[in-house]
Amino acid sequence: KIVGSGGRVVNYVLPAPGGRLSRADGSHCYVFGGAMETLLLVGVDGSVSNLLQSSGITAVAGDGRCTFVAVGNTVYFLDSGSGPIPVLMAHKPIVDLVLGSSNCVFYVTGDGVGCMTKPGSAWMFLPQKTLSIDCRADRLLLLTADREVFLIDSVTGFSALVDQAVKSSDHIREKQ
């Protein structure tokens, strides 16, 4: 059930077992994964949009208009006017994505946590197994396999940091 403002309830049954949810904007969420071979955008008003046909979707982040989708070790960008555009090829499969508020897409692989600011600019900044990630109000929250919690209080400067790290050979970079 999806409960909207004013207590309006919309019943929505996942079309296949093992599906996952990811936040989009204030009135939509993404439904994907498991046995599903589609990426859906579901609204609190009951609307359902099929955004992508693909098996193996492992993570989704976006705002409902611009969407990033992970399939295996590749992240694709979707917007309303084009098909999927590959924007990142990681060393290992991507298991989670979150959208930062400053043009950053944070991703989790078996190697750790990285940040992509644009195609060609991605940096694995925390080479540590990570269980959970979330970003809200310009704050990034990470839970590592060692049960450490990291709170990065502002991700505003991450774009410049990633761009600088990509230029440096001293940092772990993802393939582009």
Side-chain angles (χ1 to χ4, degrees):
K1 294 184 182 204
I2 299 173
V3 180
S5 61
R8 181 167 184 244
V9 176
V10 174
N11 287 319
Y12 185 77
V13 177
L14 292 177
R20 293 179 54 195
L21 297 175
S22 181
R23 165 174 22 120
D25 61 15
S27 59
H28 294 86
C29 67
Y30 298 106
V31 179
F32 64 96
M36 292 177 54
E37 294 190 359
T38 58
L39 169 60
L40 303 175
L41 182 65
V42 179
V44 296
D45 62 356
S47 63
V48 178
S49 299
N50 184 343
L51 300 180
L52 180 68
Q53 288 289 128
S54 178
S55 60
I57 297 172
T58 57
V60 179
D63 62 8
R65 293 178 309 280
C66 296
T67 304
F68 295 88
V69 181
V71 178
N73 62 343
T74 304
V75 175
Y76 297 91
F77 174 72
L78 304 173
D79 68 10
S80 59
S82 66
I85 300 166
V87 292
L88 173 69
M89 176 78 75
H91 294 291
K92 290 192 176 176
I94 296 164
V95 297
D96 210 348
L97 289 171
V98 295
L99 188 61
S101 59
S102 60
N103 298 327
C104 294
V105 177
F106 295 95
Y107 59 95
V108 177
T109 72
D111 290 333
V113 180
C115 179
M116 180 189 66
T117 57
K118 60 188 172 203
S121 289
W123 174 45
M124 180 71 62
F125 66 91
L126 181 64
Q128 187 171 1
K129 185 167 173 57
T130 301
L131 302 176
S132 184
I133 184 171
D134 194 22
C135 191
R136 288 189 193 178
D138 210 31
R139 291 183 175 101
L140 182 66
L141 186 65
L142 305 166
L143 172 64
T144 71
D146 295 332
R147 297 185 317 242
E148 296 173 307
V149 176
F150 291 95
L151 173 63
I152 299 173
D153 193 19
S154 177
V155 295
T156 301
F158 253 79
S159 292
L161 183 64
V162 169
D163 292 342
Q164 182 63 34
V166 168
K167 292 176 186 174
S168 169
S169 62
D170 297 335
H171 298 291
I172 299 169
R173 288 184 271 173
E174 298 291 351
K175 295 181 284 186
Q176 300 302 317

